């Protein structure tokens, strides 16, 4: 998570109105606003690769792949976040009174960086687990060809798998992604 922004103790409604006019993205948790940092070239390549591979994988499945600009309601009125890639299958549901705050993501992807990894694995993941629509949470490493996949099982528990070079990620909806395709060219660029 980034540093707290200059404005603190906003209500959720104040945050949403303010955030829509900002040139940079900010996340919100219980009144505090946190600036989001930009990513390294490797981070950006991996994020873009996941978007491209997800789009190809879910084509024809009634899903939409969205970028890191999609605001997500992790807890209505309490936590608003951004993921590096977002997939929605079926209609896109938004928080009441908004047209830009997604409430029903199916797949969320985070590209890990040194500054965000503890947050992506901790508080953010804890909030994501409460989203009834979420079936897959994918963590993409910048330091090696390694993808961690959490998939919701029928009983609501989460199954964890690690995938590496040569492996194929299989999402809950049956879509598949080659780990090699995601990482193609990634290590030619600077990471963080």
């Amino acid at each position: 998570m980034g540093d707290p922004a200059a404005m603190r103790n906003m209500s959720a409604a104040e945050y949403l109105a303010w955030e829509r006019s900002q040139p940079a993205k900010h996340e919100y948790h219980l009144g505090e606003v946190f600036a989001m940092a930009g990513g390294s070239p490797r981070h950006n390549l991996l994020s873009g690769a996941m978007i491209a591979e997800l789009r190809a994988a879910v084509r024809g499945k009634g899903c939409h792949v969205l970028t890191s600009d999609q605001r997500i309601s992790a807890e209505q009125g309490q936590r608003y976040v951004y993921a590096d890639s977002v997939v929605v299958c079926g209609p896109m549901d938004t928080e009441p009174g908004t047209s830009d705050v997604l409430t029903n993501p199916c797949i969320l992807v985070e590209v890990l960086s040194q500054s965000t990894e503890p947050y992506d694995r901790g508080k953010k993941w804890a909030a994501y687990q409460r989203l009834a629509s979420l079936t897959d949470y994918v963590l993409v490493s910048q330091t090696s060809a390694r993808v961690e996949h959490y998939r919701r099982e029928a009983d609501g528990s989460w199954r964890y798998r690690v995938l590496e070079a040569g492996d194929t990620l299989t999402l809950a909806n049956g879509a598949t992604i080659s780990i090699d395709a995601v990482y193609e060219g990634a290590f030619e660029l600077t990471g963080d």
Side-chain angles (χ1 to χ4, degrees):
M1 185 164 357
D3 294 326
M7 300 180 77
R8 290 181 177 234
N9 298 322
M10 289 184 198
S11 70
E14 289 169 332
Y15 159 77
L16 290 171
W18 175 81
E19 173 69 356
R20 289 181 182 111
S21 68
Q22 297 305 302
K25 294 183 287 193
H26 302 80
E27 291 193 351
Y28 175 89
H29 179 65
L30 295 174
E32 281 195 286
V33 178
F34 298 88
M36 300 297 296
S40 69
R42 186 179 303 155
H43 180 285
N44 294 335
L45 181 139
L46 291 169
S47 180
M50 281 302 298
I51 289 169
E53 295 301 320
L54 281 166
R55 183 155 167 75
V58 301
R59 185 168 279 120
K61 294 184 179 293
C63 301
H64 300 284
V65 181
L66 307 172
T67 71
S68 62
D69 287 334
Q70 181 58 59
R71 188 177 304 107
I72 301 162
S73 176
E75 289 180 74
Q76 185 175 342
Q78 296 182 40
R79 183 181 290 274
Y80 297 96
V81 298
Y82 295 90
D84 289 310
S85 308
V86 181
V87 178
V88 178
C89 295
M92 183 172 156
D93 294 335
T94 57
E95 195 166 274
T98 74
S99 61
D100 61 351
V101 182
L102 180 67
T103 61
N104 66 327
C106 297
I107 303 164
L108 293 172
V109 177
E110 297 288 359
V111 177
L112 301 173
S113 64
Q114 291 176 355
S115 62
T116 64
E117 185 170 353
Y119 177 54
D120 291 339
R121 292 182 182 284
K123 291 181 180 179
K124 202 171 197 182
W125 172 222
Y128 285 164
Q129 289 178 64
R130 290 191 283 274
L131 295 169
S133 60
L134 189 67
T135 59
D136 299 89
Y137 183 50
V138 179
L139 299 171
V140 179
S141 173
Q142 282 194 67
T143 58
S144 65
R146 177 184 167 94
V147 170
E148 296 172 72
H149 178 212
Y150 292 88
R151 186 165 104 181
R152 192 185 302 262
E153 298 295 312
D155 65 1
S157 65
W158 291 92
R159 179 175 164 230
Y160 174 78
R161 282 192 68 208
V162 174
L163 302 132
E164 297 176 326
D167 290 337
T168 299
L169 169 65
T170 302
L171 300 167
N173 66 7
T176 60
I177 296 173
S178 162
I179 300 305
D180 293 343
V182 170
Y183 281 94
E184 185 179 339
F187 298 111
E188 299 168 11
L189 302 176
T190 304
D192 61 4

